[in-house]
Amino acid sequence: MSYLVGQWGTGAVGRRTLRALIEHPDLELAGVVSDDPRLVGLDAAEVAGTGRRLGVPVTGDPAGLLARRPAVVCHTGGPARELCRALEAGAGVVSNALPALVDPPSADQALVRRLRAACATGGAACLTLGPGLVGDVLPLLLSGACRRIDGIKATEFPRVDGPGAAARFGLGEPIGRRPPIMRPGAPARTWGPVVRLLARHLDVPLDDLAETYELCAAPEAIDGPGGPIAKGAVAGLRCQVSGVLRRRPVITVEHVVRARADLAPHWPAPPPGEAGGYRVEIAGEPPARMDLAGPGGADAVAPRMVNAVPAVAGAPPGLHTPLTLPPFTGRRLLR
């Protein structure tokens, strides 16, 4: 079955999502919306980097896209009113723009009511995805093989592939300066909903969320992935958001970043031979651990959004999570 799909947003995730949409054998591109005036008028294939022209120009006005009545819109950036506009027009939405909606019961309830009303008006489904399946589906699947669970930790080892990512993690900054990604409250807003989602499905009544981080200083001047890093400057970051129960962290989402693989050897490391990847650990009886190599970041988020399209297109109206929908698979991608 073929689905007519739109792309709303052309940032780092949006461009990758657009490419995955164009290359998917079961999806037809309805249109592309961008708030970047430099891209308006360009062919979608040029923006996605796929080469062959499609005859679908990028526009700054979503009216044309929504007039084509796409089954689903992949929304990768922008405010809630954009989600509402798509939903009210009858298009299902797969989004990563509002992390709080990863776990709707813990999100701002005024926002939840607004989006549910939009879903009802258009008869459409809305799914918000978090950082990746390692943060939601895999920990829960592994937990099903346990007799007792003492704690769960999901770790991502992001690949730092340029100055922008390096600056986000604070690489190269003075060791006493808080990295931008660790501004007070920011980690809990980004990853806290994933922690709460896991807790909800494991029936764990969390008392609170806690944010922690550690920095690693460069032992000498090094050539980092985002540029030179002076001796003593930040060369690594380990940050955690934990769900706390009776003063004990029981569900943790963790990110570990290094400018060089040999730094901070006491921190968790990615799978052997890999620059990035994931790890899921369950302390309990029996314990479990799964290491997964993979690109992480936008390269992991984009195809998951695209592969969720059939599930969202067929879902009942309302707000959904990956745990209320059929599994997202790479159906028809093996060829």
Side-chain angles (χ1 to χ4, degrees):
M1 180 176 179
S2 180
Y3 298 91
L4 188 63
V5 184
Q7 173 60 39
W8 195 325
T10 52
V13 177
R15 288 173 184 252
R16 290 166 172 82
T17 305
L18 178 58
R19 178 164 192 147
L21 287 174
I22 292 171
E23 295 178 343
H24 198 290
D26 283 344
L27 305 181
E28 178 187 349
L29 185 64
V32 183
V33 178
S34 176
D35 62 2
D36 186 343
R38 298 171 298 177
L39 302 182
V40 172
L42 296 181
D43 190 87
E46 185 177 353
V47 176
T50 57
R52 182 174 61 86
R53 290 179 60 84
L54 294 174
V56 179
V58 176
T59 179
D61 183 359
L65 166 62
L66 297 178
R68 294 202 63 194
R69 300 195 61 79
V72 175
V73 169
C74 290
H75 180 269
T76 56
R81 66 174 179 273
E82 295 180 351
L83 273 71
C84 290
R85 183 171 181 182
L87 292 166
E88 289 168 351
V93 171
V94 184
S95 178
N96 73 328
L98 300 173
L101 293 173
V102 167
D103 182 46
S106 65
D108 177 79
Q109 290 306 292
L111 172 62
V112 168
R113 288 191 295 271
R114 182 180 171 193
L115 286 165
R116 283 183 173 152
C119 290
T121 298
C126 181
L127 168 69
T128 295
L129 291 176
L133 77 168
V134 172
D136 46 51
V137 174
L138 285 182
L140 292 175
L141 287 177
L142 291 178
S143 74
C146 295
R147 292 192 298 272
R148 188 192 76 249
I149 299 174
D150 299 322
I152 294 179
K153 181 184 290 184
T155 304
E156 180 176 352
F157 304 94
R159 294 179 179 177
V160 182
D161 53 7
R168 182 169 173 251
F169 292 114
L171 300 185
E173 295 294 323
I175 198 70
R177 183 176 299 169
R178 182 185 289 264
I181 199 172
M182 292 306 300
R183 292 190 180 106
R189 287 191 297 273
T190 302
W191 298 301
V194 177
V195 172
R196 293 193 184 279
L197 181 70
L198 293 177
R200 194 173 310 283
H201 283 268
L202 292 169
D203 198 22
V204 178
L206 297 178
D207 299 321
D208 202 357
L209 293 179
E211 303 174 358
T212 59
Y213 74 97
E214 303 174 59
L215 298 176
C216 164
E220 65 268 339
I222 63 175
D223 185 17
I229 298 177
K231 179 180 179 179
V234 175
L237 168 68
R238 181 185 185 184
C239 58
Q240 298 178 331
V241 175
S242 297
V244 178
L245 178 65
R246 293 188 289 274
R247 300 183 180 180
R248 183 172 67 90
V250 292
I251 300 175
T252 298
V253 173
E254 175 181 60
H255 286 65
V256 179
V257 178
R258 295 177 173 87
R260 198 173 68 190
D262 63 324
L263 299 175
H266 57 294
W267 290 357
E274 297 292 333
Y278 307 88
R279 176 170 299 136
V280 179
E281 299 171 278
I282 299 183
E285 183 60 38
R289 168 173 156 172
M290 175 182 285
D291 281 7
L292 180 66
D299 288 323
V301 173
R304 193 181 189 211
M305 294 182 67
V306 171
N307 290 327
V309 164
V312 172
L319 301 183
H320 291 272
T321 77
L323 306 170
T324 63
L325 295 174
F328 318 145
T329 69
R331 183 180 180 276
R332 295 257 294 150
L333 297 183
L334 180 60
R335 53 188 187 272

